[in-house]
Amino acid sequence: MASYRKRSGGWYVEIRKRGIYRSRTFSTKAAAKYWADEIEADIESGRPMGQHTLAQAMQRYSRDVSSKKKGARWERLRLDAFESSMAFSGKAIDDVTPNDLATWRDQRLTKVAASSLRRDFNLLNSVFEIARREWRWITSNPLKDVSRPANPPPREQLISEDQAASVKEAAGYWRGMEPRTTQQVVAAAFDLALETAMRAGEIRGLRGPQIHLAERYVDLPETKNGRRRQVPLTTAAVEILAAMDPDEPFPVTSGTMDATFRRIRRKAGLSEAFTFHDSRATAITRLAKRLDIHDLARMTGHRDLSMLTRYYRATASEIAQRLD
């Protein structure tokens, strides 16, 4: 049975059950009782020392939290990888130290880029935070005391007219044609991305009811930030979509699009640094010459204008030409 004592700064709770002793201090008695009930239930169920392991926390997060997200598959794969790569995943979660996590960070950096590790940190931080705030399995988040790798410098890649033409030529595609091969479909998607700044996933997900060519816009009911967005279409974008299947213009999966674009890139003689996603920054930079910042943000779906600057890559020379 748990016992509770009021102390300065919070409530101290002790548990003595079946030879197991646990204690902790909480800011409120309700939080202390919630934790004590969980620990006693764990002891009854036979968990060692009444503690939850980090692996159990990641498994519960995958089941109860990740499953409700759009990126559920990615998160589950990452959490499975964390569990297998962390030598300390079997430790009680409240025994995991910043030093454990820092060692894991340094090992990961020998295998993945800093940007990938920062995404891993974001996910792992969410696991610790929900274990602290909602499950009451820990009282502090050890990841808060671990330095994250620095952000990599922003990409400066913009797609030139010659490069865009090389991609279309390599795929055997020209604007206005009805694509008949997978390479032509992917090249048409790339062409549309350069006109609209839409993401590859948004383009792949287009279906007939979302496309309004007469009114010159497409409707995206669910986007990366979870909000609906209507994307205006240039005359060229209308021409591209008018030639596609009206019900499912881009019938390719994410994996097929990625692999096909890499093949097209090789045929075009372009380097691996050239990516489909560079079309978004290129389109935003071009559109910025015709739209004010608020219309541009509405078109691209950026709620934070400062984030828009990550994609806007006009050169100093181009900006200088507008000063005269």
Side-chain angles (χ1 to χ4, degrees), residues 164-269:
S166 295
V167 167
K168 297 173 192 176
E169 182 179 353
Y173 166 82
W174 62 89
R175 185 176 296 166
M177 73 174 292
E178 179 183 357
R180 298 187 181 279
T181 68
T182 301
Q183 290 196 9
Q184 289 170 348
V185 169
V186 171
F190 178 70
D191 198 17
L192 185 64
L194 286 169
E195 289 295 321
T196 62
M198 290 170 64
R199 300 178 178 91
E202 294 168 345
I203 292 173
R204 287 195 314 273
L206 285 176
R207 297 296 182 270
Q210 300 167 240
I211 303 169
H212 306 272
L213 296 185
E215 295 84 4
R216 289 179 54 178
Y217 75 93
V218 295
D219 186 33
L220 304 179
E222 189 175 3
T223 61
K224 184 178 179 180
N225 63 18
R227 300 186 71 183
R228 180 175 182 172
R229 182 166 105 249
Q230 291 183 334
V231 180
L233 299 175
T234 62
T235 302
V238 170
E239 184 181 358
I240 295 164
L241 285 169
M244 310 298 291
D245 183 305
D247 297 318
E248 189 177 0
F250 304 96
V252 291
T253 65
S254 174
T256 298
M257 178 174 276
D258 289 345
T260 302
F261 189 78
R262 287 195 295 270
R263 284 196 293 272
I264 295 171
R265 183 178 62 196
R266 285 196 298 269
K267 286 172 64 176

Side-chain angles (χ1 to χ4, degrees), residues 282-294:
T282 303
I284 289 173
T285 301
R286 293 176 181 177
L287 289 166
K289 300 173 183 178
R290 293 179 274 172
L291 300 174
D292 70 32
I293 189 68
H294 296 95

Side-chain angles (χ1 to χ4, degrees), residues 25-285:
T25 301
F26 293 86
S27 58
T28 66
K29 187 174 183 180
K33 188 174 187 312
Y34 185 95
W35 176 81
D37 290 345
E38 287 273 304
I39 295 301
E40 289 185 331
D42 290 345
I43 295 172
E44 288 290 343
S45 66
R47 290 192 180 94
M49 294 300 291
Q51 295 174 320
H52 298 86
T53 65
L54 175 58
Q56 288 171 335
M58 292 190 288
Q59 291 162 9
R60 180 173 176 181
Y61 188 95
S62 177
R63 182 185 67 246
D64 298 347
V65 182
S66 296
S67 61
K68 299 173 184 175
K69 298 181 181 180
K70 278 187 66 177
R73 182 177 179 275
W74 177 85
E75 288 200 352
R76 285 171 168 168
L77 289 173
R78 299 311 312 135
L79 290 168
D80 287 346
F82 294 167
E83 188 176 341
S84 62
S85 67
M86 290 175 169
F88 53 90
S89 65
K91 288 180 70 171
I93 187 172
D94 52 358
D95 288 338
V96 174
T97 66
N99 187 59
D100 290 329
L101 294 164
T103 300
W104 175 76
R105 174 204 62 199
D106 295 342
Q107 292 170 344
R108 287 286 290 160
L109 279 173
T110 65
K111 300 176 181 178
V112 302
S115 56
S116 296
L117 185 57
R118 288 184 67 86
R119 288 192 291 272
D120 289 348
F121 263 49
N122 289 339
L123 176 55
L124 194 57
N125 184 67
S126 296
V127 174
F128 280 115
E129 279 301 297
I130 201 165
R132 180 183 67 83
R133 294 195 315 267
E134 297 188 17
W135 305 340
R136 305 291 183 181
W137 289 3
I138 52 177
T139 56
S140 62
N141 178 351
L143 201 60
K144 296 290 186 184
D145 294 325
V146 181
S147 299
R148 297 185 177 217
N151 273 321
R155 286 175 58 81
E156 298 294 336
Q157 175 77 39
L158 284 178
I159 297 169
S160 69
E161 293 290 350
D162 287 344
Q163 288 172 324
S166 295
V167 167
K168 297 173 192 176
E169 182 179 353
Y173 166 82
W174 62 89
R175 185 176 296 166
M177 73 174 292
E178 179 183 357
R180 298 187 181 279
T181 68
T182 301
Q183 290 196 9
Q184 289 170 348
V185 169
V186 171
F190 178 70
D191 198 17
L192 185 64
L194 286 169
E195 289 295 321
T196 62
M198 290 170 64
R199 300 178 178 91
E202 294 168 345
I203 292 173
R204 287 195 314 273
L206 285 176
R207 297 296 182 270
Q210 300 167 240
I211 303 169
H212 306 272
L213 296 185
E215 295 84 4
R216 289 179 54 178
Y217 75 93
V218 295
D219 186 33
L220 304 179
E222 189 175 3
T223 61
K224 184 178 179 180
N225 63 18
R227 300 186 71 183
R228 180 175 182 172
R229 182 166 105 249
Q230 291 183 334
V231 180
L233 299 175
T234 62
T235 302
V238 170
E239 184 181 358
I240 295 164
L241 285 169
M244 310 298 291
D245 183 305
D247 297 318
E248 189 177 0
F250 304 96
V252 291
T253 65
S254 174
T256 298
M257 178 174 276
D258 289 345
T260 302
F261 189 78
R262 287 195 295 270
R263 284 196 293 272
I264 295 171
R265 183 178 62 196
R266 285 196 298 269
K267 286 172 64 176
L270 299 169
S271 75
E272 293 185 1
F274 182 96
T275 70
F276 189 107
H277 192 64
D278 287 328
S279 62
R280 183 161 166 82
T282 303
I284 289 173
T285 301

